[in-house]
Amino acid sequence: MGELLGTAVLVFMLDTIVISTLESDTKMPNLILSILAAVIITILLLAVVPVSGGHINPVISFSAALVGIISMSRAIIYIMAQCVGAILGALALKAVVSSTIEGTFSLGGCTVTVIAPGPNGPVTVGLETAQALWLEIFCTFVFLFASIWMAYDHRQAKALGHVTVLSIVGVVLGLLVFISTTVTAKKGYAGAGINPARCFGPAIVRGGHLWDGHWIFWVGPTIGCVAFYVYTKIIPTKHFNAEYEYKHDFVGVVKALFGSNV
């Protein structure tokens, strides 16, 4: 319930921020969006951490399962709850905005391309599929490496404190949103999702072009999570001690299931 409600609030608030900043007359809406996103994410993480660990993102749940902090079954339950919460958040947003805003901004959902009017009729504008996929992979890995790493390592989490660690998580996510939207500067591309559930909710509720390239917002983060897991297995164990001592580590679970010879 903590993950469901936390993700619902996250989707509602983040997508509201996306719509309001894009609709404003500011010259750099992506900068304002990134700052507000960092603040909102930090606050919500602080609220949900005591209940469920504060994931509210399939990226965190899946990578935590791979590393061994939680079991894969718990991760699946969390991800299902996050997806349901994202749908509820998108439904709540749809209930409070006009149909014009809903259509113009696609409920603040994740887009790779959009159909825009052109000189000779409608044209598709946005980012190439390969570029969007690579951005998702890179941004997911950087997100895990630069912030979630601290939460996974109980030594750093204890030394820095929950407030500091979660604030860093929020800031890193805000920076990645800003970087992904600034570097590409492509109309029609909404920036790196780094949260498949947040992209899934509006896609279910709004539909249409939000499904175009939607797989990118799942496949990219999945590859990023696996890459991060491989990294944690390469470095010496003394430099990375996950809580519970890798009790549910993916390789360890596979070995236990199929025998020590695997």
Side-chain angles (χ1 to χ4, degrees), residues 2-242:
E3 290 296 312
L4 189 151
L5 293 177
T7 309
V9 175
L10 174 69
V11 169
F12 178 81
M13 298 186 73
L14 267 186
D15 291 356
T16 303
I17 292 171
V18 170
I19 294 172
S20 59
T21 51
L22 292 177
E23 194 176 24
S24 65
D25 295 327
T26 181
K27 294 182 179 179
M28 294 191 69
N30 56 335
L31 177 60
I32 297 176
L33 167 63
S34 303
I35 294 173
L36 294 177
V39 174
I40 291 300
I41 290 170
T42 301
I43 293 172
L44 288 176
L45 286 176
L46 287 169
V48 181
V49 157
V51 180
S52 62
H55 293 197
I56 58 176
N57 187 339
V59 165
I60 299 178
S61 298
F62 183 55
S63 63
L66 290 177
V67 170
I69 296 176
I70 64 174
S71 65
M72 189 61 72
S73 59
R74 179 182 290 270
I76 292 172
I77 293 172
Y78 274 19
I79 292 171
M80 291 175 62
Q82 291 155 5
C83 289
V84 173
I87 295 172
L88 295 178
L91 286 171
L93 180 60
K94 182 178 181 178
V96 300
V97 300
S98 65
S99 57
T100 302
I101 291 179
E102 177 189 345
T104 303
F105 299 101
S106 302
L107 286 179
C110 305
T111 58
V112 177
T113 59
V114 295
I115 305 297
N120 300 316
V123 294
T124 302
V125 295
L127 205 62
E128 295 291 336
T129 300
Q131 289 178 296
L133 179 61
W134 279 114
L135 265 174
E136 285 296 321
I137 295 172
F138 290 147
C139 287
T140 300
F141 182 84
V142 171
F143 167 55
L144 294 170
F145 178 80
S147 58
I148 299 301
W149 174 268
M150 300 179 190
Y152 287 175
D153 191 332
H154 68 276
R155 297 170 302 177
Q156 293 195 69
K158 183 177 180 180
L160 296 173
H162 284 304
V163 175
T164 301
V165 170
L166 298 180
S167 297
I168 292 173
V169 172
V171 170
V172 169
L173 274 174
L175 286 172
L176 289 173
V177 170
F178 178 73
I179 291 170
S180 65
T181 53
T182 303
V183 171
T184 57
K186 289 281 189 178
K187 183 180 180 181
Y189 177 60
I194 326 175
N195 187 332
R198 191 192 80 77
C199 301
F200 181 72
I204 287 287
V205 175
R206 173 63 183 169
H209 70 281
L210 288 179
W211 288 112
D212 296 339
H214 179 75
W215 62 272
I216 292 172
F217 301 107
W218 287 93
V219 175
T222 299
I223 296 174
C225 288
V226 173
F228 176 75
Y229 173 66
V230 171
Y231 172 72
T232 64
K233 299 299 290 184
I234 292 174
I235 63 173
T237 54
K238 66 179 181 180
H239 294 306
F240 178 56
N241 293 324

